[in-house]
Amino acid sequence: MENRLIGLRKSMEKTTFKHLNFSEKQRKKVYEKINKTYENEEDVFLAVLQLLISEKTGYELAKLLRGRGIQKFEGNEGFLYTILHRLEQNHLIKSSWDNSGAKYYQLNDKGRKTLRKAETTSTKKRLILKELIQG
């Protein structure tokens, strides 16, 4: 089996991948993705909850998360809105629209209670936020 795989690799290098070249820019992007720091999901959720004590738009929230050094949303802002939607579905935040059409997010009572629990001990924080992520 190994010999067939080695033969397949060699033949693909000669045919399929022969014309495949990466520019320096493409290589840098690949290396950046590989070396990008991966924030712990629980820490990201905790930061979102902490920032939503006061009402914020998704754009404001993304800026503040970037200010905290969380780069998970760079080039992938949709992931932030997925988190906000999940928190909203779990009834931890509420949202409202203003007259200009901007959507604002803020913790509700259940969200504040969850935040207080999550901030008390790191072990509890992990368990509570893990439930939120999976829930």
Side-chain angles (χ1 to χ4, degrees):
M1 180 72 171
E2 273 187 45
N3 291 336
R4 286 192 286 169
L5 290 177
I6 291 172
L8 174 66
R9 181 177 176 213
K10 286 181 182 179
S11 70
M12 289 188 78
E13 285 175 356
K14 291 177 184 175
T15 58
T16 308
F17 298 123
K18 184 177 181 178
H19 303 290
L20 183 65
N21 292 318
F22 285 102
S23 69
E24 191 59 34
K25 185 178 179 181
Q26 290 170 324
R27 285 182 186 175
K28 283 183 181 180
K29 282 189 177 186
V30 170
Y31 285 124
E32 283 175 13
K33 291 275 187 185
I34 291 170
N35 294 325
K36 188 175 183 181
T37 58
Y38 292 97
E39 291 89 9
N40 191 341
E41 283 196 45
E42 291 92 354
D43 293 336
V44 173
F45 270 85
L46 181 62
V48 169
L49 291 176
Q50 288 171 336
L51 291 169
L52 288 178
I53 289 173
S54 61
E55 195 174 60
K56 291 178 183 51
T57 64
Y59 176 75
E60 293 169 333
L61 186 59
K63 259 180 33 177
L64 292 169
L65 288 168
R66 194 175 308 122
R68 286 189 175 199
I70 297 173
Q71 299 175 352
K72 191 170 196 143
F73 310 111
E74 294 296 318
N76 190 11
E77 289 79 13
F79 184 69
L80 174 59
Y81 291 99
T82 302
I83 288 174
L84 291 170
H85 181 71
R86 190 179 306 165
L87 291 172
E88 201 171 356
Q89 292 297 313
N90 289 333
H91 307 288
L92 297 172
I93 64 172
K94 60 183 177 179
S95 63
S96 60
W97 296 86
D98 71 357
N99 292 336
S100 68
K103 190 172 184 179
Y104 285 86
Y105 302 92
Q106 185 175 12
L107 284 181
N108 59 19
D109 291 336
K110 183 178 176 185
R112 280 189 283 281
K113 183 178 177 182
T114 303
L115 177 61
R116 278 194 303 273
K117 283 182 184 177
E119 289 177 332
T120 55
T121 64
S122 61
T123 307
K124 278 188 180 179
K125 175 184 84 170
R126 298 281 183 220
L127 295 174
I128 291 168
L129 294 175
K130 192 164 199 121
E131 289 175 18
L132 289 176
I133 294 167
Q134 295 171 354

